[in-house]
Amino acid sequence: MQIGFIGVGKITNAIVEGLCTSSIENTQIWLSPRNEANAQRLAEKYAQVRRLESNQQVIDQSDLVFIAVRPAAAVEVLRSLAFREEQTVISLVPLLKKAELLNTVAPATQVARAVPTPTVMQHTGPILLFQANDTVTQLFSHLGQPVQVADEHQLHALWTLTGLITPFYDLLHELSSWTIDNGVNATTANQYIAGLFQALCLAAQQDSTINFKELAQHAETPNGMNEQAGREIREKAAHQAYRIASDNLLKRFE
């Protein structure tokens, strides 16, 4: 499989690392010249990765092409390139809808949109896919758990949630800082916090229905710590900040 990447930023780096350390076989990966440091490092690290001198060279060498450029530059970059009809194009660009993608990569007609997260480097995490064919779905199965989405509005709503990664880590940082202020060693605090929240998410995943409200209520006992903390945080409407931020992020797709 000849796989090309136009754009070599953080998410491309994660995908390439994930592919090269997965069980997938017989792949050649071609990288565009932008972000030379990233591309060169990957090419030096993995025998199946090579950095080319232009975006067009990547297109010419590849059967499957990932588009991972900044939204503001995506259309201009793609219109400068000549695609082939038989190629499959996978867009990782948040604001580039399928109709415009098809228009800019013609005569290629087999296109998909995908939302991997940096955890694909560790071959884990959900990967949103919109209109991905079997080849694309199988490829992503080596990187995490493909989740097929029925339409672009649902794709955008779920894609919005990836904008909450920073607030999530901010929360963990606040809890870490508080724990350290209360005399706990930083390494111990951070290991416990990361492990605690990972375990809570794992427990939710193993629930057949994944009802977060029920899980929250199940954790509460009368006059217990979870009951107290849940009540105090809800009374301050702290969770509303996440809804407001999500509403504002979703507007960017519109």
Side-chain angles (χ1 to χ4, degrees), residues 5-106:
F5 287 85
I6 305 299
V8 192
K10 292 180 180 179
I11 196 62
T12 292
N13 180 77
I15 293 172
V16 173
E17 289 273 7
L19 288 175
C20 291
T21 55
S22 74
S23 60
I24 196 170
E25 298 178 343
N26 300 320
T27 59
Q28 176 68 52
I29 297 173
W30 308 98
L31 303 180
S32 62
R34 288 293 299 270
N35 203 325
E36 182 177 358
N38 271 356
Q40 196 61 42
R41 182 188 63 79
L42 290 168
E44 292 173 356
K45 188 174 182 179
Y46 299 109
Q48 66 267 50
V49 178
R50 182 179 172 188
R51 175 182 177 271
L52 298 180
E53 295 302 315
S54 71
N55 289 339
Q56 188 59 56
Q57 285 185 354
V58 173
I59 301 296
D60 293 343
Q61 294 283 355
S62 304
D63 301 314
L64 193 154
V65 182
F66 282 85
I67 309 301
V69 298
R70 293 180 295 106
V75 172
E76 181 180 356
V77 169
L78 294 178
R79 284 180 175 164
S80 68
L81 301 171
F83 290 82
R84 301 190 307 276
E85 184 177 359
E86 70 275 12
Q87 286 178 310
T88 297
V89 179
I90 305 169
S91 173
L92 310 180
V93 183
L95 307 182
L96 185 61
K97 296 180 180 179
K98 183 188 175 184
E100 190 166 24
L101 175 64
L102 279 168
N103 185 50
T104 53
V105 302

Side-chain angles (χ1 to χ4, degrees), residues 213 216 220-239:
K213 186 68 173 178
E220 293 182 351
T221 56
N223 299 315
M225 293 192 297
N226 277 281
E227 190 275 336
Q228 177 183 331
R231 183 184 67 253
E232 291 181 3
I233 291 172
R234 286 193 296 268
E235 287 175 350
K236 291 179 172 60
H239 302 116

Side-chain angles (χ1 to χ4, degrees), residues 93-243:
V93 183
L95 307 182
L96 185 61
K97 296 180 180 179
K98 183 188 175 184
E100 190 166 24
L101 175 64
L102 279 168
N103 185 50
T104 53
V105 302
T109 59
Q110 188 63 247
V111 302
R113 299 182 69 191
V115 191
T117 64
T119 60
V120 295
M121 187 182 297
Q122 288 82 34
H123 317 117
T124 189
I127 304 168
L128 298 174
L129 297 178
F130 176 59
Q131 297 195 341
N133 60 26
D134 290 343
T135 299
V136 173
T137 302
Q138 181 63 29
L139 179 70
F140 275 114
S141 71
H142 291 276
L143 297 172
Q145 297 77 49
V147 178
Q148 299 284 354
V149 180
D151 58 58
E152 280 191 300
H153 178 73
Q154 293 182 52
L155 178 72
H156 296 160
L158 292 168
W159 206 326
T160 290
L161 300 182
T162 67
L164 301 181
I165 295 173
T166 290
F168 172 72
Y169 283 125
D170 279 343
L171 170 62
L172 300 192
H173 172 73
E174 285 299 318
L175 298 177
S176 172
S177 178
W178 178 89
T179 309
I180 292 167
D181 287 346
N182 279 275
V184 179
N185 172 272
T187 300
T188 302
N190 291 340
Q191 287 178 341
Y192 178 75
I193 289 167
L196 172 64
F197 283 87
Q198 180 186 41
L200 293 174
C201 288
L202 178 61
Q205 286 180 313
Q206 293 179 335
D207 193 302
S208 60
T209 57
I210 311 186
N211 187 314
F212 294 114
K213 186 68 173 178
E214 287 185 0
L215 288 169
Q217 292 171 343
H218 181 72
E220 293 182 351
T221 56
N223 299 315
M225 293 192 297
N226 277 281
E227 190 275 336
Q228 177 183 331
R231 183 184 67 253
E232 291 181 3
I233 291 172
R234 286 193 296 268
E235 287 175 350
K236 291 179 172 60
H239 302 116
Q240 291 301 311
Y242 287 85
R243 294 186 68 98

